[in-house]
Structures are given as structure tokens and as C-alpha cells.
Amino acid sequence: MRRTLAFAALILLLCGSAAGAAQPAPVATQAHSLWDVWPRVRVSPPDPWAMKHRELRAALAALQQRHPGLITLVEEGVSTEGRKIPALRLGQGPTGVLLWSQMHGDEPTATAALLDLLNWLGASPADPAVRQVLSKLTLWIIPMLNPDGAERTQRRNAQEIDINRDALRLASPEGRFLKALRDRVQPVIGYNLHNQNPYLRAGLTGDQVAIALLSVPGDEALTETPGTRRTKQLAVRVGELVETLAPGHVARYDMDYTARAFGDSMTRWGTATLLIETGGWAGSEEAARLVRLNFVALAGSLTALADGSLEAVPAAAYPQIPLNERDALTTLVVRNARLAGGRALPPFPADLAFLVPGAFSGDSPRRREPSLIEVGDLTYLRGLAELDATGLLAVPWPAPAGDWAALRESLDSRRLLTTDEATLLSSIRALGEPALARPGFSGAVLFYRPDSAGALTLEGAVLRGKLAGGKLAATGPGAAASSR
Ligand SMILES: [Zn+2]
């Protein structure tokens, strides 16, 4: 949190000093007004992951019909499997900006936000920000670069190539299409739009990262050029906009220069690129709130680029943005249990961490089923939902095919709803390896409360990564999603 606060304080300080020169709305006001306008311009579907190539093309056709003359379909690439990849042009300004989304097929949040951005540009002709964007910029937009991956909800294209590692070899038709468009229109700024693992924190002590930003370098030495200085300013501006709406949820993306990646190559080729990665923001309607946040980030930063206010944004604030922190956040952490982990060992004090993977699978083949990911002292780890299990005895149990009722029934048939510690532990021992609480265990974990006479009563369980039974109440922004 400390680094996040330092970033916010620096922004206030630096922006305060430049405020006299800035004619456009202060960034906080702009963030709120864009946030408020989104429900009126939203055309994106409730679930971005459900939007495939067919739905995208229908949405684009509807937008073209609704706003004649606004959106030009300049060309269509062809994916590995023959799906057409629309590239759009808007505006008549001298500054070319190329935005591409969903080069990773399972990363659709920004694609949805781009549709809303297009509708905002068409539906608000009197808005000075819209007029500036369309008169000062020319936007080139590829909303879904990897339709074959989108169809399968997978990162890679149909060749099983990661398009974002294909910028040099250009073995993928999608990569060749993106490169050819860039070479033809020579945009000075690029927006490379992705989703990242939602279980990252903004620094070691920060919140869940909703938006991570990277001013993508163009060489190994991370040389600052006028272009990368501008993408640092864009990153800072996006950071300010997002901090206003989601304080503590902004980070810098943690990656070194990668020559064969597209963002890095774009910068090297002369299209200085800003990487925007959407993470997680636990709570109700999370997917929609993240699209909304993306819309604010895109509309607000393009406005700053168009109206000239970006020039007053301090690039020096960029390194103050806290870095993505991995392995410090998970779905559910149960603290202070007494765990009888299996192997006939006596119970010991332990925290337990569970992970429920989301729709995004990321850059490595990840376990898709919910599981226990760690046991022991998990002070370093935060759960989007947390349960204090002080006084409870935790034991592993093979997951039933059904839900909580089925689990209760199976325990009832063994007379284990109410029992004593010796009986319970010998029942677990008899199960052997299938009931061993260790990383990767995907069974249930049962929680018993002892009474003063030593009798144990089943209180609830973690079943497929979620609390079941109704008696155990978690806290935190993900608490509602963590019980069933
Ligand atoms: Zn990606």
C-alpha cells in the first residue's frame, strides 16, 4: 500500500503544479464523468468471454449502421482458419494511433471496451473530448486479432502459436496482418490490449491489480525515446484515471524487453506502445466493471493525447507505480485452523489457501479445477475472501460428485456429521493418499467445531474452492463469490 500511496501523492503533487496550464477537466472529474457515461453508451455484452467472432462482427455492423460515416472498415485480415479480422479507421487527425485487442484469444475485456468506445465516439458528437479525439487523432482499431483463439477461449491461434511471440518470424497470418497494417499506416502510438492473471497484487502490500500498465521498451537497455516518454505519460494518465475509481488497484506490468513480442517490436519499429493488462477487481459484476474501467482508461487517455493535456502529465511518476506482485493473492485463505492433514499425523496449526481458476488461463498451462494450493504459515498471502477458522479442526476428504448436500449425505452414512477426534482421524487415515491436504489437492476440506466435551460437529467445508454449509462466513471483496 505504501508504494501505491506514494504514487497517488506524487500524482497529486505534480498535477497540482501543472493545474494552472491545464484547460481540460481535472483527471478525477474526467474519470467520474466517463464512468457515468458508460452505461449510456455501452453496447458490449454482459460476458466478454461469450463474445466470439460472429458476435463481434454483428456488433460492428450494428455500430456502422447506427453511426454512418464514423467507422471505416479499411481492410480485413484472414485468420489461420479463415475468419475475417476487421481493421477499422476513425477520425481524420494527424496523430495515428493503432489499438489492437485479443491477440490472445482468451483475453476479451478490452475488445468489449473498444465496442463501447466506438459507440461513445458516435453517440456524443457534441462532447468536446469526442470532437478532439476525432479531429486530432486517426484511430486504427483491430478489436479481435485472434478470432480462432477466441472461438476456443484459448490464448494461442489455431496453429497453437502465441501471436505475441511471433513479431519477428511472422509465421502466423494474424501476426503478418498486424505488422502489415502498422507498416502501411505508420502510427506513432500503439495500444496493446490484454488480460493478465487476476490474482496479482499492486506491490507486496497492495490490492488486487485491476489494470497493469507498461510503457513497452524498444530495446534491451530500456532507452527512453520521445515515443516511450509519451507512453510513460499515457501509462501515468491511465493510472490516474483508474486510481480515481479503483484506488490501490493499479500496477506496472512486470516484464523485461522481449524482442519477439509485438509490443516491444512495435516500439522498436517506431510505434511506441502502451500495454494495458486487465486483471481482476473482485465483487459483484466484476467482468462488467472491468470493461467499464477499460473504457475510462481508453477514452480518457486518448482524450489527453488529442487535447494536448498529456504533455503536462509527468513521465517521472511512471516508475512510482507499484509493480505487479505474483504469488501474493488467491481466491480464499482459511486462517488459524487446526489441520489434520492426513498420514495419521496429529493436528497442527495451519492456514490453507485455495484457488478457483477463472475464464482466463494465461501464459502457462494452468490447472483448470479448483484446488488447495498451499498449507502452513500463509501470512504473506491474501485471499479475496478470508475465513478465520480459529478453534476449528480441518480435515481433507475426497470430493463428492455432487454438492454440499451430497457431501453431508456421504458423511452422514459414515456417522461423521457428529463424531469425536479419534474416530474422525482414523476414518481419514483409512482413506490414505486421496485424503492428503497438500498443494494440488482438489478434494473437499471439512471443518468441525469441538464442544467442551470433545465432541465434533461438522460446520461446513471448502468444496471446489468455495465455502459450503452456510455456517462459515468469509470476509473480503470476494466473500460472496467464495460461498455457495
Ligand atoms: Zn495477453
Side-chain angles (χ1 to χ4, degrees):
M1 189 56 97
R2 207 172 304 138
R3 290 202 68 169
T4 307
L5 287 176
F7 170 60
L10 185 70
I11 292 300
L12 283 175
L13 196 72
L14 291 165
C15 291
S17 65
Q23 201 182 6
V27 63
T29 309
Q30 188 195 22
H32 286 295
S33 77
L34 287 170
W35 180 261
D36 291 342
V37 91
W38 179 80
R40 294 199 292 278
V41 299
R42 179 191 193 181
V43 288
S44 60
D47 176 11
W49 275 271
M51 181 172 58
K52 306 299 184 190
H53 183 246
R54 177 199 300 263
E55 288 79 16
L56 175 83
R57 284 176 53 100
L60 289 176
L63 282 166
Q64 280 184 297
Q65 203 163 28
R66 190 182 301 178
H67 309 299
L70 175 74
I71 304 165
T72 306
L73 178 65
V74 278
E75 55 184 299
E76 291 184 301
V78 180
S79 75
T80 304
E81 290 185 320
R83 294 188 175 88
K84 289 181 177 166
I85 308 171
L88 317 168
R89 189 187 68 225
L90 292 90
Q92 299 88 34
T95 302
V97 183
L98 172 60
L99 304 97
W100 69 96
S101 180
Q102 220 167 341
M103 72 179 345
H104 292 145
D106 59 348
E107 304 180 12
T109 301
T111 302
L114 284 171
L115 293 178
D116 301 337
L117 180 84
L118 292 174
N119 195 39
W120 174 66
L121 291 170
S124 327
D127 185 330
V130 168
R131 286 214 300 266
Q132 293 271 19
V133 168
L134 293 177
S135 64
K136 298 288 168 50
L137 309 180
T138 297
L139 305 179
W140 306 87
I141 300 179
I142 302 176
M144 185 188 278
L145 184 64
N146 181 5
D148 302 347
E151 210 65 24
R152 297 173 170 82
T153 317
Q154 71 172 29
R155 176 182 179 89
R156 291 156 184 265
N157 76 349
Q159 297 163 297
E160 297 298 330
I161 281 181
D162 183 339
I163 300 168
N164 204 24
R165 301 290 178 269
D166 189 39
L168 296 181
R169 183 157 297 177
L170 296 173
S172 66
E174 299 86 358
R176 286 196 295 276
F177 176 63
L178 177 60
K179 171 75 159 76
L181 180 65
R182 193 225 77 87
D183 289 351
R184 190 165 71 72
V185 306
Q186 302 275 329
V188 292
I189 295 288
Y191 278 68
N192 186 9
L193 305 170
H194 291 255
N195 287 70
Q196 69 172 14
N197 177 353
Y199 296 106
L200 302 186
R201 281 170 78 178
L204 259 179
T205 54
D207 276 318
Q208 183 180 25
V209 178
I211 297 287
L213 302 157
L214 180 69
S215 157
V216 187
D219 62 23
E220 200 79 52
L222 316 182
T223 308
E224 185 173 287
T225 63
T228 61
R229 197 183 135 72
R230 193 134 68 148
T231 53
K232 284 177 189 173
Q233 290 173 305
L234 280 172
V236 171
R237 172 47 54 94
V238 171
E240 295 166 339
L241 291 161
V242 176
E243 275 286 329
T244 302
L245 302 163
H249 294 274
V250 180
R252 255 182 315 140
Y253 191 71
D254 51 329
M255 192 159 175
D256 297 328
Y257 176 71
T258 309
R260 65 195 175 109
F262 253 100
D264 310 61
S265 297
M266 287 282 186
T267 299
R268 196 175 62 243
W269 295 328
T271 300
T273 293
L274 172 69
L275 172 72
I276 303 183
E277 297 265 356
T278 300
W281 190 12
S284 65
E285 300 195 18
E286 180 181 14
R289 280 183 299 117
L290 287 167
V291 172
R292 196 171 182 173
L293 209 52
N294 263 260
F295 167 77
V296 174
L298 295 172
S301 60
L302 289 172
T303 301
L305 190 61
D307 69 16
S309 59
L310 188 70
E311 283 167 39
V313 174
Y318 175 72
Q320 300 295 320
I321 303 173
L323 272 174
N324 265 344
E325 187 67 39
R326 292 171 191 268
D327 304 319
L329 185 68
T330 192
T331 319
L332 171 67
V333 176
V334 177
R335 300 201 187 275
N336 308 314
R338 277 175 73 235
L339 173 65
R343 293 203 174 114
L345 300 171
F348 52 92
D351 307 326
L352 300 98
F354 299 87
L355 181 69
V356 180
F360 168 84
S361 62
D363 42 7
S364 58
R366 281 201 179 84
R367 171 178 286 277
R368 298 303 291 249
E369 60 182 310
S371 64
L372 179 68
I373 56 164
E374 193 52 282
V375 293
D377 177 356
L378 305 184
T379 314
Y380 72 96
L381 189 62
R382 215 177 80 188
L384 292 173
E386 301 228 349
L387 173 72
D388 183 0
T390 301
L392 299 180
L393 178 67
V395 296
W397 194 260
D403 57 5
W404 165 244
L407 177 64
R408 256 189 79 90
E409 213 167 285
S410 78
L411 291 162
D412 195 16
S413 69
R414 292 163 181 256
R415 301 177 185 282
L416 289 175
L417 290 180
T418 301
T419 180
D420 60 84
E421 191 162 309
T423 307
L424 182 63
L425 297 195
S426 76
S427 304
I428 298 196
R429 202 173 303 140
L431 294 167
E433 291 284 302
L436 188 52
R438 61 178 166 188
F441 174 68
S442 57
V445 175
L446 314 177
F447 293 92
Y448 285 87
R449 188 175 297 284
D451 68 13
S452 52
L456 294 171
T457 305
L458 182 68
E459 284 270 287
V462 174
L463 191 54
R464 285 178 272 282
K466 294 182 176 185
L467 284 171
K471 281 190 181 168
L472 304 173
T475 56
S482 282
S483 54
R484 40 174 292 151

